Structure formats: structure tokens, C-alpha cells
Amino acid sequence: MSQLNSIDLPERGSAARTTVRANSASGSRWWIWLVVFSILALAAFWYYRLAHNQPKDAAAAAAPGGGKARGGPGGANFAVPVVVATATTGEVPVYFNGLGSVTPLNTVTVRSRVDGQLINVAFKEGQFVQQGDLLAEIDPRPFQVQLEQAEGQLAKDEAQRRDAEANYERFQLLFKEGVIPKQQLDTQQAQVGQFDGAIKSDQAQIDNAKLQLNYCRITSPISGRAGLRLVDPGNIIHASDANGLLVITQIQPIAVVFSLPQDQLPQVYDKLRKGVQLNVDAFDRDNTFKITSGKLLTIDNQIDPTTGTYKLKAVFNNQDNALFPNQFVNVHLLVDTRKNLTLIPVPAIQRGPQGTYVYLVGQGNVVSIRPITIAQTTGDTAGLSSGLKQGDVVVTDGQDKLQDGSKIVPSTVPAGNSSSDATAPGATPQQNSAPQGKAARAGGKKQ
């Protein structure tokens, strides 16, 4: 018990003082960490801001005077580089466009007119033949035999007729002397007539045999291009054969059959009734390369109710054999020419809520928005009926950077100033008057 009494027990207030000191030290460290985190967050914010604003500062430093690029407040000294063109006065052709197929004016399937063995083929596949050229030969010997038989029969009947005619002359003398009756004389006269008929029949047989011999030589009925050989020499052919020997197509001249909407019929039909010769251009499948030019021949006599279109036929000389039978082509029918229009390139035309407009270059190379009215568009050339005059300068490229009142740095490129530019190879004439191609960026800027 003495040992227990000697142990020093802690005072009651010492534990409380220890807890207070521990809490005080923990609170001091919390503020330290808060300050550290605040400093790191502030450094990260300034680093992000510096990196984000660096491209803008570089662009502003590159711009003259550090102004804005769209000609707005504070950007009056900045000029936008664009491409411009000068408006001219001229004419624009009006085309109706259709899809067509090349069709030969004449197509002939050459067949034999007699039966026999084919002994000779005188043409080469793909050869251009003229009317009357020899194409093939059939064995003529059976028909030569028929000819000799007919000639022999003719000689026999002629000899019998001479004998009957001599007897008829004798009977005439005997009848005058009253030796024979009139009936016997008439019978002899009829016999002479029978031999006359037999001689004519024999002559017809001879002519038929000669004709069969001529048919043994098969000649070209038209001038054109020979197709592939359908029968080889040595075969027995018949006049009733369905396939024939070959097919010949006439390709000089050649026709193109194409279709147009029925709404365009009155204008074309009116031209034909007045005797106006309409020009037709044939373009390739891509509608970019002009193959050849021809003339409109005629139109069909009815409209197809299933498609609402009508057919037309045009004729082309095709001297260079550029058109081939059954070839698909795009047809451009020139129906009219609109004159005294203001011509500008199609890329200059813009469209927006305010309608169709262009950027007109004024004094000091400052642009303004000018509303226009399009009368006709053909290829890359647009004809205007109002809005511009000859000599006006318009922007053709770079409009997306412009506003009304923007300052520009213009560079000039040649602009189409005649209708011949619109119909050059590679152009795609359009019948409607809406701007095509690069023209019109929807959603243009308001004035």
C-alpha cells in the first residue's frame, strides 16, 4: 500500500491543456494549406489566360493599326483582299437543255433474197461501205442452170410458133380456095396465139433466173458503217432467216432524239412554224465538253402523258464521226438570244434575306451592297436587267469577309463579256434565270 501511495497521479487539468495545444497546432497547419492552394490556383489561372490571349494578340499585332478585320468600329484602316470584275454590256443566249440518244438516220439489216450457200464475204467488220458495194456472194450455179432451162424452153416454143404460123398461112390460102372450113383456120390461128403466150412465159422465166443470179451478189443498200458479221462463209442461208448477214448504220449524217418538258413546247413550236432554223449543240455525258453542232429537224406529233415531255429530232453532219449510234448526250437547244443586258460573272452574285445582290466597289475601294435583277444566266455569265450598268466593278471572290462599307484591296481577273464565252466547250448553259455554280451563298449579310 505504501508503493501505491507513492505513485504520482497527473493533475486533473493537465490533460485539458494537452488537448488545447494539439488543436491549436492543427488549426495553424490548415491555414497554411489554404494559402498554398490559393497561390497554385491563381498561378494556373494566369497561365491559362496568357496562353489563351496570345493568338489574339498576335493577330491584332499583325493587322495594320491593330484594328478589326470586318470594317467595323476601330477597323477602318484594315483592307480585305478580294477579286473584282467589271460589268459589261452584251447578249446572253437562252438554251433549253435535254437528254438525248444518238440515232442513225437509216439502219438496215442485210439479208439474202435467195436460198443458197454463202461462198464469199467481201466486207470487213466495221468497214465504211458505199451504196452498191459488194458485201457477199451466194453460190450462183443453181440459178445458172435455171436460166439455161428457161432459155431452152424459150427456143423450143419459138420453133413451135414458127411452125404454127407457117401452117396458119397455108390454111389461109386453102380457106380462100374453099378447101378447108373457117373453123379449122381459126383453130390454127389460136394455136399461134398459144405459142406467143408460151414464149412470153419463157421470157419471164429467163428474167427471173437472171434476177436470182443478181441476188446472188449481195450489195449494200445504203452508205454507212458495217457491223459485225452474223454468218460465216460456207453456211446455207435462206431468205427467211431472221438475223440476216450484217447490220449497216448510216452515221453521216446522224440524228439525235431528245426530250424537253411540255412547258417549253410553245416557244420551240412557234419558231418552227415561222421557219426559224434552231441550232443544237451536243455535249458529252458529263455535260462539260461540246462534241458537235447541228440543226433541229422536227418535233414529235404528241406529248408523252407519262412523263409530260415531248420528243425532238436534231440532225448533225458528223463528218468527224464524233457521234456514235445509241450514244448518250446532253443536248442544248438555242431558242433565243437576250440582248442589251449587263453582264457579270456568276460568282459575283450573292443571295440573302434582302434578295439577290452584289458587292459594288465605290470610291476609295469601299464596297456597298447593291440589289440586282437577274434576267438570264448561261454558263458562268449572268445577264442583269437592273441594278448595275456598264463599267461598274463588283467583287467576285472574298465576299464572305465583307460588310456594307468594308474597305478592300482589289485584284482584277478577266470577266466573260460576250455570249461566246458562255457557249464555249466546258460551259453548261442553263435555261432558267436563277444564278448557278459558285454564286450565291445563302444567308448573306443584311444591309
Side-chain angles (χ1 to χ4, degrees), residues 324-337:
F324 204 79
N326 297 329
Q327 178 183 357
F328 174 84
V329 293
N330 287 278
V331 179
H332 301 162
L333 174 63
L334 179 62
V335 295
D336 198 4
T337 300

Side-chain angles (χ1 to χ4, degrees), residues 27 277 288 311 381 422:
Q277 188 71 63
T288 56
K311 293 182 179 180
T381 302

Side-chain angles (χ1 to χ4, degrees), residues 124-135:
K124 295 181 179 180
E125 295 173 322
Q127 174 186 354
F128 287 90
V129 297
Q130 300 297 324
Q131 184 176 3
D133 288 352
L134 178 65
L135 299 178

Side-chain angles (χ1 to χ4, degrees), residues 113-262:
R113 302 183 70 173
V114 296
D115 299 343
Q117 184 181 20
L118 184 64
I119 61 174
N120 179 34
V121 174
F123 70 94
K124 295 181 179 180
E125 295 173 322
Q127 174 186 354
F128 287 90
V129 297
Q130 300 297 324
Q131 184 176 3
D133 288 352
L134 178 65
L135 299 178
E137 288 182 295
I138 298 175
D139 187 3
R141 291 174 296 179
F143 305 103
Q144 290 175 346
V145 173
Q146 294 178 7
L147 175 61
E148 293 173 357
Q149 290 177 345
E151 290 175 344
Q153 185 65 38
L154 174 63
K156 176 182 176 181
D157 290 340
E158 286 179 343
Q160 291 179 347
R161 182 190 181 284
R162 287 193 297 268
D163 179 65
E165 186 176 8
N167 291 331
Y168 175 67
E169 292 176 353
R170 295 189 191 98
F171 284 2
Q172 284 180 328
L173 295 176
L174 294 175
F175 174 74
K176 292 179 180 178
E177 294 176 359
V179 176
I180 60 175
K182 181 70 167 56
Q183 180 181 2
Q184 189 175 0
L185 178 63
D186 294 339
T187 301
Q188 189 63 34
Q189 184 180 5
Q191 189 175 7
V192 173
Q194 290 177 359
F195 284 117
D196 288 338
I199 291 174
K200 287 184 178 181
S201 177
D202 295 338
Q203 187 62 49
Q205 294 295 328
I206 293 174
D207 293 339
N208 180 66
K210 290 180 178 180
L211 183 61
Q212 303 303 311
L213 282 174
N214 288 334
Y215 287 160
C216 290
R217 291 176 51 87
I218 302 175
T219 58
S220 176
I222 62 173
S223 298
R225 187 174 185 270
L228 301 180
R229 186 176 68 237
L230 303 179
V231 179
D232 297 327
N235 286 285
I236 301 298
I237 59 177
H238 306 276
S240 58
D241 291 341
N243 294 331
L245 302 177
L246 75 154
V247 178
I248 300 177
T249 55
Q250 181 181 354
I251 60 176
Q252 292 179 351
I254 202 167
V256 172
V257 177
F258 61 101
S259 300
L260 291 178
Q262 61 180 357

Side-chain angles (χ1 to χ4, degrees), residues 12-35:
R12 185 176 297 177
S14 63
R17 286 194 296 270
T18 303
T19 302
V20 171
R21 286 196 297 269
N23 292 337
S24 176
S26 176
S28 301
R29 287 194 297 273
W30 182 83
W31 285 105
I32 293 173
W33 284 109
L34 180 61
V35 172

